[in-house]
Amino acid sequence: VFDFRTRVGDFLITNCKNVGLSVLTADCASLILHDPVKEVIAIIHAGWKGTLAGITATVLKGMQAEFACVPQDLKIYFGPSALSCCYEVQADFLENLKNDLRGQQCIIIRNDANYFDVSLYNELILREAGVPASVISYEAQRCTMCQPGYHSHRRDKSTRERNITVVSLK
């Protein structure tokens, strides 16, 4: 989560052209938010902890406060991450969602195992804030755990390699 006092966190927002913003992920979600009207971009590293802490809502509020962005004008892009096909969570994880109705919608039970859909959780936050479903793109999203060519901490426990997501304004 971003600390506005120290400017440290898991996201970046800018309206500067020709400046690349990036995040490194191994299974966490990467999201790009683009406001073509105000010419603003943001990039988010959304692991399960940041997601449950509301990092996506924080970014939306930051874009609104700093640049007068309107959720209805945004375009959203999800990058590679561990998807619900492979993102198995243990019973103790479910304690984090005990009082979270949104989070409970993001648990898939399959073969007596629980799987978490972190992308859906972030999409629900975006939609609740007024971002239309029609502007949310999953075209670049791939599962880092089961798709070849992606780095996955959950799959390759000892890897320190990461995937990079980059965005810039022209």
Side-chain angles (χ1 to χ4, degrees):
V1 177
F2 192 77
D3 182 336
F4 282 101
R5 295 168 302 206
T6 62
R7 304 278 186 206
V8 173
D10 281 344
F11 70 86
L12 298 163
I13 305 171
T14 190
N15 64 349
C16 297
K17 295 185 179 198
N18 301 312
V19 172
L21 305 181
S22 66
V23 293
L24 297 174
T25 59
D27 288 314
C28 298
S30 60
L31 286 83
I32 295 171
L33 290 72
H34 175 221
D35 184 333
V37 176
K38 301 288 189 200
E39 295 187 326
V40 174
I41 54 173
I43 193 162
I44 304 172
H45 171 271
W48 72 266
K49 288 181 185 176
T51 293
L52 296 184
I55 191 166
T56 302
T58 299
V59 172
L60 287 169
K61 289 175 188 168
M63 292 176 77
Q64 290 170 316
E66 296 289 323
F67 300 104
C69 294
V70 178
Q72 293 80 3
D73 293 338
L74 297 178
K75 302 210 179 296
I76 311 296
Y77 305 91
F78 279 83
S81 66
L83 300 182
S84 61
C85 57
C86 296
Y87 196 164
E88 185 175 354
V89 293
Q90 302 307 311
D92 61 339
F93 176 84
L94 301 178
E95 285 297 310
N96 296 298
L97 307 176
K98 184 170 55 175
N99 299 315
D100 184 343
L101 294 177
R102 182 187 308 121
Q104 292 171 20
Q105 295 176 62
C106 300
I107 294 294
I108 295 113
I109 301 170
R110 190 171 59 246
N111 299 327
D112 295 325
N114 298 302
Y115 296 84
F116 183 56
D117 193 334
V118 70
S119 298
L120 176 58
Y121 195 104
N122 283 290
E123 179 182 339
L124 291 172
I125 290 171
L126 292 163
R127 303 265 317 273
E128 289 166 12
V131 175
S134 62
V135 301
I136 300 173
S137 173
Y138 288 99
E139 186 176 329
Q141 190 175 56
R142 304 289 184 279
C143 182
T144 53
M145 293 180 69
C146 66
Q147 296 283 316
Y150 294 97
H151 302 294
S152 170
H153 176 72
R154 287 175 149 256
R155 181 191 63 221
D156 308 321
K157 303 282 186 230
S158 62
T159 188
R160 297 182 59 83
E161 295 177 324
R162 300 291 183 257
N163 306 298
I164 187 167
T165 303
V166 181
V167 64
S168 70
L169 289 169
K170 288 186 174 192

